[in-house]
Amino acid sequence: MAQRASRNPPVVLNSTRITVKLHASPATKLRATFRYLSAASLLTAAAAARSQSLDSRPVAEVFGKPFSRLLDEIVTSTDSTTTQALTERLHSMLRAYGRAVVEDSTVYFVYFGTARRVGVPGDMNGWNPRADTMRRVAGTNFFYLSKQFPLAARLEYKLMVDSVWMLDPLNRQQAIGGYGPNSEVWMPLYRPPSGIEYRAHIPHGRLDSLSVKSRLLKRTHPVFVYVPPRDTARRQQISPVLYVNDGGEYIALALMTNVLDNLIADQRIPPLVVVFIDPRTDVRDASTSKRMTDYTMSDTYVRFLVEELRPLILRRYRVDHRSQQTGIMGASLGGLLATYAALVRSDVFGLCAAQSPSYWFKNNAIMTIAANTPLRDVKFWLDTGTIHDAQEATSIMRSLLQQKGYAVHYEEVPEGHHWGNWRARISHILEYFWGKE
């Protein structure tokens, strides 16, 4: 998944120790792929759990006084010995605290170490390492920067120390994304999503691994099919079906199978079959991704979905063939493709969810298509972050679709272009399409 943090190194899961022989059989490759996604899911879940376990007390309670006052004491000190003692004490307290310092609407980014320059690239500046530079307190190795954000915001960032990108060494709160972990900030009114956790004592669906050879695409892709738990599936002979672009990342980084298990167990949605399509021919190798070809409103890819993948799913699984019970979703370019597929093949996809969609592609060409396409029987969900995300174009598309007469649910949240943003809305999407009233 292409993210704003494009200069970050890709995630490497050395702990999984996955090895595949050069000429391994397709079945062996699929098993290795499944292990890779499972390992990535565990890392994502562990990061989310760690974030919620960190000290959540108000900063003034932890430090004995407002952080702004502590900072002022250091900045205004005229005695070098006193300044050094104050910075060392602050460093010790921050190491123990373990998360970014937030007071009301202000975040204090801090760094201790030898450096000529420390930048804070992140959601707030489009991951520009030169946009926000920390100030160094004279005579010390203490750098700081204060920034204000919406009270309900969630942000991801890194530090750039001279020319080195790194996680914030004083912030143990992290979010795992398509390019590895980022440091994370929760503002006071932000609430982490519920329903993404693994619940051991409920029925769990299974995840089938398929290797789908496409004549149209002239290549083979992994496809993962979530099949609802047996005890729930028996109550409903035919299930609705949802096709998901960037399927591997929705599994590994958005924890979508957990969300499905939890919603079905709580009887908030009916048993649902979900088809996770990955754009990479090898999930472990980002260079094999074809999303820049397939997801940019490719008619060939839409034909693959409709003419090759869908018949396979209809043969193998008991799913509803009607468009009103068939959805397609995706994030970023995947959201663009989902919207395009729903507009041009509404006879197949009657439900469409686009998260932070890349409607800007080809000078907003999708909007021209939407404006010139007769009203179809499609129900839309659109969501976007407001911090260097897809807010402007998504808002325009919302208005365009509504003016044409479409049913559209639209949400904005003070977050950036990340899986941590998108996964928080998966349960809302599923309940919007299939929720039990």
Side-chain angles (χ1 to χ4, degrees), residues 206-277:
R206 76 171 193 267
L207 199 61
D208 292 348
S209 299
L210 310 179
S211 182
V212 179
K213 186 175 183 179
S214 169
R215 175 185 57 82
L216 290 166
L217 299 177
K218 297 180 174 58
R219 44 188 146 86
T220 300
H221 280 270
V223 173
F224 309 94
V225 182
Y226 173 88
V227 182
R230 289 183 180 179
D231 59 340
T232 56
R234 288 196 193 99
R235 303 185 206 133
Q236 179 174 313
Q237 293 300 310
I238 299 177
S239 297
V241 59
L242 175 64
Y243 293 83
V244 180
N245 298 315
D246 286 307
E249 292 187 321
Y250 266 100
I251 293 170
L253 304 179
L255 305 176
M256 190 165 173
T257 55
N258 288 355
V259 176
L260 288 161
D261 284 342
N262 295 339
L263 289 177
I264 293 170
D266 294 340
Q267 299 185 21
R268 290 163 59 185
I269 62 171
L272 182 67
V273 170
V274 180
V275 184
F276 296 96
I277 314 123

Side-chain angles (χ1 to χ4, degrees), residues 317-335:
Y317 302 95
R318 294 184 59 82
V319 299
D320 199 321
H321 69 279
R322 295 174 298 169
S323 62
Q324 299 92 334
Q325 294 298 321
T326 303
I328 185 168
M329 72 177 287
S332 195
L333 281 173

Side-chain angles (χ1 to χ4, degrees), residues 23-83:
H23 301 292
S25 69
T28 299
K29 290 180 179 178
L30 274 176
R31 286 194 294 271
T33 294
F34 186 80
R35 290 198 299 273
Y36 181 89
L37 291 181
S38 297
S41 298
L42 289 173
L43 288 178
T44 303
R50 183 168 60 249
S51 293
Q52 297 203 46
S53 68
L54 292 171
D55 195 337
S56 59
R57 290 177 296 163
V59 169
E61 181 180 334
V62 175
F63 292 83
K65 63 179 70 174
F67 188 84
S68 56
R69 191 183 303 172
L70 288 172
L71 183 60
D72 187 60
E73 290 174 358
I74 293 173
V75 172
T76 60
S77 173
T78 58
D79 178 75
S80 59
T81 302
T82 301
T83 302

Side-chain angles (χ1 to χ4, degrees), residues 106-117:
T106 302
V107 177
Y108 294 92
F109 300 97
V110 298
Y111 177 75
F112 292 84
T114 302
R116 295 184 302 276
R117 181 187 175 280

